[in-house]
Amino acid sequence: MGLLENKFQDNVVVASLDKILGWARSTSPWYFQFGLACCAIEMMASAASRHDLERIGMMPRSSPRQADVMIVAGTVTMKMALRVKKLYEQMADPKYVISMGSCATSGGPYWQHGYHVLKGVDLVVPVDVYVPGCPPRPEALIEGLLKLQEKIQTERPLTRKLA
Amino acid sequence: MTFNEVKEALSDQFPGSVIQNDDLPEGQIEINSENWLEVATFMKTDPKLSFDQLECITGVDTGDDGPLQSHYNFHSMEHRHKVEIVINHDRKEPKVASIEQVWRIGDWFERETFDMFGIVYEGHRDLRRILCPDDWEGWPLRKDYETQESFHGILVPKIKEEEGWE
């Protein structure tokens, strides 16, 4: 898609193609299998048979090269922050980030005395959806993922953006 | 052996190394840092003491101008007695002999105490930080620790307890 992206003016033909592309992208965002703390347990629970993320087209990938969504599940330490950034940079476009739980969103319980904790993963990578909770239940994560899918659907990848 | 017997055995073997300190709680012995390696080797090899297990090494910051301390917990599987050794360090230049080659587990324990308190274990073959990144500034568990302002360009917001966000 790289060659065609953001190349066309807004017109009828591109509008419909854009919708199809948005729909296709939104219904199979593969996520990066990557957990940092207790939120990762809930992420695993979401992927396991009871909640089964694959029914909404989400499938864990072990490599950032194959993943579309990075779920930052857990406390991001300063040491890990550099690696999170690197992993994000290794993902292919289009890429999305979900900040799962209060640690990834704001530092959580470490926001005051955690000298080693990054106060929100949005300081290093752009975040699309924040999922609150400590840790969020699988239902909450799934809600966040559905919100992300809605967001992806409204994107118009081919249309040139107005400056 | 009871605790007092262990203490006597140590002070008989190394007169001057065991420091009489009545403030210490039961079970702790303060040792002079000068010949700590010999004392430690004796504790491991002497058949009556036979401290074959080093359970933990941790640091203590006694605050303000007080000394930094290393605490060592030893246990003997053979005789089932245990003891805690306390060594005081000068705050400006905290250093003590490494016992990493006596008890191998001391390797990581000493690295962790070095990482958190900046106590230098002389003779340790690989004294690097173990938890914090290699280029971290300061010793986090010291009482006078100040969080660094930024780390690789990432801003570290400082929060003061009374005033809120800075």
Side-chain angles (χ1 to χ4, degrees), chain A residues 33-48:
Chain A
Q33 193 182 42
F34 153 69
L36 296 175
C38 33
C39 281
I41 306 295
E42 298 297 310
M43 186 177 76
M44 286 179 245
S46 319

Side-chain angles (χ1 to χ4, degrees), chain A:
Chain A
M1 184 109 73
L3 284 175
L4 301 178
E5 209 157 355
N6 306 331
K7 287 287 189 299
F8 301 97
Q9 291 202 337
D10 199 358
N11 59 40
V12 177
V13 178
V14 176
S16 305
L17 198 55
D18 258 349
K19 268 187 186 168
I20 292 176
L21 282 171
W23 170 80
R25 273 180 178 184
S26 73
T27 43
S28 68
W30 290 355
Y31 64 96
F32 183 22
Q33 193 182 42
F34 153 69
L36 296 175
C38 33
C39 281
I41 306 295
E42 298 297 310
M43 186 177 76
M44 286 179 245
S46 319
S49 49
R50 182 173 289 260
H51 295 283
D52 193 15
L53 280 186
E54 286 197 34
R55 74 201 153 91
I56 57 170
M58 306 213 39
M59 169 170 152
R61 305 303 295 172
S62 305
S63 158
R65 304 282 185 206
Q66 299 168 349
D68 305 303
V69 183
M70 181 160 85
I71 304 178
V72 184
T75 317
V76 188
T77 58
M78 287 293 176
K79 198 175 180 179
M80 195 65 198
L82 305 177
R83 289 147 176 85
V84 168
K85 197 177 172 188
K86 186 169 275 178
L87 287 169
Y88 176 75
E89 283 160 1
Q90 282 173 348
M91 284 164 66
D93 272 325
K95 51 192 173 184
Y96 306 92
V97 177
I98 289 180
S99 158
M100 181 182 180
S102 30
C103 288
T105 305
S106 69
Y110 310 99
W111 76 275
Q112 189 168 33
H113 295 298
Y115 62 92
H116 61 299
V117 174
L118 185 71
K119 308 290 187 281
V121 74
D122 45 8
L123 290 172
V124 286
V125 293
V127 176
D128 292 286
V129 176
Y130 296 90
V131 180
C134 186
R137 288 182 56 86
E139 292 91 326
L141 179 63
I142 290 167
E143 174 73 21
L145 294 170
L146 292 174
K147 280 272 179 289
L148 179 70
Q149 293 196 352
E150 276 172 31
K151 185 177 174 174
I152 298 172
Q153 242 169 41
T154 57
E155 273 181 9
R156 307 190 59 186
L158 296 181
T159 312
R160 194 186 293 153
K161 286 178 188 72
L162 293 174

Side-chain angles (χ1 to χ4, degrees), chain B:
Chain B
M1 285 170 103
T2 64
F3 168 69
N4 284 326
E5 284 168 340
V6 172
K7 195 171 178 179
E8 260 170 44
L10 282 180
S11 49
D12 286 350
Q13 185 72 22
F14 299 97
S17 275
V18 178
I19 298 169
Q20 274 301 331
N21 184 348
D22 296 331
D23 295 339
L24 288 179
E26 173 79 17
Q28 295 189 356
I29 303 175
E30 189 178 338
I31 297 276
N32 195 339
S33 65
E34 297 275 303
N35 50 353
W36 165 231
L37 185 61
E38 288 89 76
V39 179
T41 316
F42 174 74
M43 286 172 73
K44 171 98 183 264
T45 51
D46 186 68
K48 276 189 191 143
L49 293 175
S50 177
F51 283 106
D52 44 16
Q53 191 188 15
L54 171 57
E55 288 179 329
C56 185
I57 301 177
T58 185
V60 174
D61 186 346
T62 51
D64 295 329
D65 297 325
L68 292 171
Q69 296 177 328
S70 289
H71 286 234
Y72 300 77
N73 295 84
F74 293 106
H75 177 242
S76 170
M77 295 272 188
E78 194 181 338
H79 304 302
R80 303 202 179 170
H81 54 223
K82 47 173 66 186
V83 71
E84 182 169 346
I85 301 289
V86 180
I87 294 180
N88 277 313
H89 307 291
D90 178 23
R91 196 179 189 78
K92 294 209 176 75
E93 203 187 350
K95 58 178 182 181
V96 68
S98 167
I99 52 162
E100 169 242 342
Q101 293 183 50
V102 186
W103 291 271
R104 279 298 283 125
I105 187 67
D107 183 351
W108 282 14
F109 285 160
E110 285 181 348
R111 278 179 66 186
E112 189 183 350
T113 317
F114 166 73
D115 193 359
M116 291 292 139
F117 292 91
I119 298 167
V120 177
Y121 294 91
E122 289 176 319
H124 193 293
R125 289 172 291 185
D126 184 29
L127 194 64
R128 290 176 291 133
R129 283 185 182 271
I130 192 170
L131 298 171
C132 291
D134 289 339
D135 50 358
W136 195 255
E137 291 164 19
W139 312 108
L141 284 189
R142 284 202 192 180
K143 296 252 163 84
D144 54 2
Y145 174 67
E146 296 251 337
T147 313
Q148 60 195 63
E149 284 176 359
S150 72
F151 177 69
H152 286 262
I154 306 165
L155 196 70
V156 184
K158 274 191 187 166
I159 298 123
K160 284 192 176 168
E161 291 198 24
E162 293 92 30
E163 298 162 35
W165 290 84
E166 193 176 283

